[in-house]
Amino acid sequence: MRAVPDPRRRRAVCPVGGVVFCNPPYGRELRQWVEKARGEADSGRATVVMLIPARTDTSYWHDLIFGRAEVEFLRGRVRFELDGVPMDSAPFPSAVVTFERRQQGWASTRTTP
């Protein structure tokens, strides 16, 4: 299923049971994006896959991710492109965090080879 962006609300509206990929802004509002993703999954509305900084020392990782989401740590640094032109690598490690819809109380942590 495809999420429909809603720029007025800086979010994607997803049909019930859909899967959403989210690469949120990496600023101070990141915790709010993770809270929203977890809430959508907990309510059964969507599975949410996020690409976020692997800052496991932050409170939102402990409060919202550990013990609740599937986490895959990416080896090396993510490198982005802009209009097909390679940009600098991220200055921090990254992780793919998946909140499965209606999933209760389990966690899986993996590191890519």
Side-chain angles (χ1 to χ4, degrees):
M1 292 188 175
R2 184 179 163 147
V4 180
D6 182 348
R8 294 166 297 166
R9 295 191 181 117
R10 295 189 71 179
R11 68 182 178 111
V13 179
C14 184
V16 173
V19 176
V20 175
F21 174 78
C22 180
N23 183 8
Y26 291 168
R28 295 181 187 270
E29 61 196 17
L30 184 55
R31 181 185 182 98
Q32 294 171 329
W33 285 83
V34 175
E35 286 174 342
K36 175 67 173 170
R38 181 172 168 174
E40 292 298 307
D42 286 346
S43 70
R45 285 190 289 270
T47 293
V48 183
V49 180
M50 304 183 84
L51 174 64
I52 62 174
R55 295 186 176 131
T56 59
D57 59 333
T58 59
S59 62
Y60 72 86
W61 268 85
H62 290 269
D63 297 343
L64 302 169
I65 297 171
F66 288 134
R68 174 57 185 84
E70 181 175 328
V71 177
E72 185 161 346
F73 294 100
L74 303 179
R75 186 174 190 168
R77 303 290 169 102
V78 173
R79 186 171 184 152
F80 295 97
E81 291 184 1
L82 181 61
D83 297 325
V85 178
M87 306 300 286
D88 292 332
S89 298
F92 43 76
S94 299
V96 175
V97 174
T98 303
F99 292 102
E100 294 282 345
R101 67 184 177 105
R102 293 193 185 136
Q103 178 180 328
Q104 297 293 326
W106 72 273
S108 173
T109 305
R110 297 189 305 236
T111 303
T112 58

